[in-house]
Amino acid sequence: MSTAHNIDPAVSQPQMYGLLAEFHDVQTLLDAAVALRKAGYKKWDCYTPFPVHGMDKAMGLRPSILPWIALSGALGGVFTILALAPLCNAFLYPMIFSGKPYWGMPGHIPMAFALGILGGTVFVVHGLFVLARLPQFYHPLFTAERFRRVTDDGMFIAVEATDPSYSPSATSQLLTKLGAAAVEEIRD
Amino acid sequence: MASVTTTQVPGMTGDFDNTLDDGVSQAPLVLGEATFHEVTRKICRVAEAPRAPMAWYVAFAISTSLVGVLGVMIAYAIFTGVGVWGNNSPVFWGFPIINFVFWVGLAHAGTFISAILLLFRQKWRTGINRFAEATTVFAVVCAGLFPGIHVGRPWFAYWMAPVPNVMGAWPNFYSPLLWDAIAVFTYTNVSLLFWYVGMIPDLATFRDRSKTRLRHTVYGILAMGWRGSAKHWQLYERTILILAGLATALVLGVSSTVSTDFAVSQLPGWHETIFPPYFTVGAIFSGFALVLALAIPARELFGLKDLITKRHLDNLAKITLVMGSIVTYIYMMEFFIAYYSGNGYEQFAYLTRIMGPYWRMGWLILFCNCVVPQIFWFKFARTTWWLALPAALLCLVGMWSERFVIIVTVLNRDFLPSAWHNYAPTWVDWLTFAGSIGLFFTLFLLFCRFLPMIAMSEVKSILPQAAGHVHDDSPADAAGH
């Protein structure tokens, strides 16, 4: 077990963030995730350069509310046009276009369709950033040199020190037993 | 995911023919040394090389010169007036609308590849989706330019928005032109967000590999602090899936809406129910031809033959062939309906296309869009660059001519022969069009040099070693938060 080596010495008493364990293949990582969940850990996460199929099942992640966010954005877009069109063309400045009714739904469908898609898109992208708490330019894991490979070929599990089941030695041993190639302490 | 094995032999490199299927194992989509790190290295080296290939500098010099020409032409048109263009009664639409419809169409392949092929779980899309999406964004930029200057007084363009104003005037929500503006506005935003969200993990790769402080800062800000967390990946994949669903509806909707500019009018040759699918299929056809025409030089120039393999070219050409054949069918149907309608005006409009003053372009369309793509029935043509590239370029010529003929031949033969007048673009029209091509290539070349050209995280996820199996049958309980 090596300790984090690039901590700024000026910072007095750096807080322990947790343990970072490196894995070398996807199967070991998935098995370790299942084992950690079964061992009762709550505050931990896997870090991979690509989405691992089945990881949400292995970690026991619940489905997110993103589809509902997208739906609300899409409906918001649709109803914006269905309300805005009669507001402009039937109430604020009533005008007859080509003998059509002031409030004719069919002629407003193409715009309602487009704005529904726009609303759904904008909402789901913002929902992603809010739920993922991004942008987040600092994270304790970024202090680890080996963690730079998480966007290349590194696969990691980090267990946070605030987890009720966390213990520096026992958790470290468990991670090693689960096939971690290296375990390192991360300080905040 | 791992139910079908993938053959992965270390000796296979870019020129390997991976287009064959033996029915037992999947052909490899990544050739050469297919480790995660090697994929990162091959893609990053394009953006990390201290100098781009010489051809990049030559192309960039030409493109930026054309952007300069574009700026001068726009300024000239706005300060002098739109009379500098060939638009005149009765052909008021001319080049600006031709180019608008053409560029919007080119945008469609990127959305098709990243949205529809994602929903169909086509793994080969990962090699080309990123730069196809980039062509979408840049083509939409070029498209949006033309209606913007076509209004002649761009400072009044905000009148299209429902802005409260002293005149009490509001936009006409029944007008296809307003539908069109909203559809293109939506398309711009959706394609940009789709492109950017998809790029975040790869921008993080650039950040983590950066050697200089400037690169680290710029890519760091763009990557938003992405750290590959499984919780983030779950949200990210869900977002991409929802965006793909929305964009699938959009890709079928945008050109349909553009076609209503024509179809909702009362002119023979435009007033047709076939127009929405006709414009959409034509758009996807020209878009795939563009992606094919860009993929061929890009894989040679940037050494990406292991990632954009012959199979990718093969598939692109096949879709081009399918779309070209649907376009052919629609042409036949249009002429048939004109004949079968018994409507003299309708029949006249279609005869004008192939026998009127623009008959050369009418036949050029039939040659480029109906005959040329048929070469892609042959695998040799699909995988040989000196056949596939000219064919793709001819498809683009054909689709631009189609936009020209649809617009001009309907307008130049007005209802009264006394109003007939032919359309001829001026040098300003031609240079503005050339400038828009320069704008597209400037943006595209900058993208190739400074942004991840291939979706690294997605390519990694289709490698055989990225698949695992979850050995757990107990009901999932909550972990994390």
Side-chain angles (χ1 to χ4, degrees), chain A residues 176-188:
Chain A
T176 313
K177 200 182 87 185
L178 292 174
V183 182
E184 117 177 44
E185 282 181 357
I186 304 291
R187 285 166 196 281
D188 198 350

Side-chain angles (χ1 to χ4, degrees), chain B residues 11-304:
Chain B
M12 296 184 291
T13 54
D15 288 318
F16 175 78
D17 182 6
N18 59 340
T19 56
L20 289 168
D21 283 308
D22 60 8
V24 178
S25 60
Q26 286 185 347
L29 290 168
V30 180
L31 301 174
E33 196 191 329
T35 62
F36 297 133
H37 179 67
E38 198 54 27
V39 169
T40 314
R41 199 186 65 79
K42 274 181 198 148
I43 298 169
C44 287
R45 74 176 173 204
V46 177
E48 288 171 353
R51 285 177 65 84
M54 198 58 206
W56 187 91
Y57 287 100
V58 174
F60 191 69
I62 297 170
S63 308
T64 41
S65 311
L66 285 172
V67 174
V69 171
L70 177 69
V72 173
M73 286 306 119
I74 291 175
Y76 180 53
I78 287 171
F79 286 108
T80 316
V82 294
V84 298
W85 298 332
N87 308 12
N88 207 338
S89 177
V91 185
F92 286 113
W93 274 11
F95 257 42
I97 301 300
I98 295 166
N99 295 337
F100 162 72
V101 179
F102 176 66
W103 278 117
V104 167
L106 291 187
H108 278 54
T111 325
F112 190 94
I113 290 169
S114 51
I116 297 181
L117 296 187
L118 182 119
L119 295 184
F120 287 154
R121 306 236 178 260
Q122 292 294 304
K123 288 182 180 178
W124 62 276
R125 61 178 272 288
T126 57
I128 49 166
N129 70 334
R130 173 64 47 69
F131 83 82
E133 286 166 31
T135 64
T136 299
V137 174
F138 305 147
V140 172
V141 168
C142 294
L145 181 76
F146 283 101
I149 57 173
H150 189 227
V151 296
R153 296 172 179 82
W155 50 97
F156 291 135
Y158 72 94
W159 283 10
M160 282 186 286
V163 182
N165 56 72
V166 288
M167 298 167 293
W170 298 94
N172 171 10
F173 283 82
Y174 283 119
S175 166
L177 297 179
L178 191 65
W179 304 347
D180 197 5
I182 293 293
V184 173
F185 176 75
T186 299
Y187 199 32
T188 313
N189 285 282
V190 172
S191 53
L192 196 62
L193 283 173
F194 203 165
W195 186 53
Y196 174 62
V197 170
M199 216 160 29
I200 288 175
D202 293 345
L203 289 166
T205 306
F206 275 25
R207 172 198 67 199
D208 290 345
R209 286 172 60 94
S210 55
K211 298 277 192 288
T212 66
R213 185 148 192 90
L214 178 70
R215 286 179 75 93
H216 191 79
T217 311
V218 172
Y219 290 124
I221 290 169
L222 288 174
M224 292 208 167
W226 180 264
R227 54 182 187 274
S229 147
K231 290 167 192 165
H232 289 179
W233 277 122
Q234 188 203 20
L235 292 166
Y236 171 90
E237 285 209 289
R238 180 55 50 155
T239 304
I240 293 290
L241 189 65
I242 293 171
L243 285 180
L246 290 167
T248 298
L250 187 62
V251 73
L252 302 175
V254 173
S255 267
S256 299
T257 310
V258 170
S259 80
T260 60
D261 290 346
F262 304 91
V264 174
S265 75
Q266 306 290 328
L267 295 175
W270 283 1
H271 188 66
E272 291 173 25
T273 49
I274 206 172
F275 260 41
Y278 174 21
F279 271 49
T280 304
V281 170
I284 296 171
F285 170 62
S286 61
F288 270 92
L290 177 71
V291 172
L292 186 58
L294 289 172
I296 291 169
R299 70 194 280 269
E300 299 279 345
L301 197 57
F302 296 112
L304 294 170

Side-chain angles (χ1 to χ4, degrees), chain A residues 124-174:
Chain A
V124 77
V125 171
H126 284 84
L128 164 71
F129 291 140
V130 171
L131 293 178
R133 304 215 174 94
L134 293 175
Q136 182 183 355
F137 294 114
Y138 174 76
H139 193 276
L141 290 172
F142 288 148
T143 57
E145 186 62 33
R146 73 170 79 240
F147 194 70
R148 284 170 75 108
R149 292 210 341 271
V150 75
T151 53
D152 178 7
D153 60 352
M155 286 170 258
F156 302 91
I157 288 180
V159 184
E160 293 178 33
T162 48
D163 190 298
S165 313
Y166 178 85
S167 130
S169 54
T171 307
S172 172
Q173 278 165 13
L174 173 65

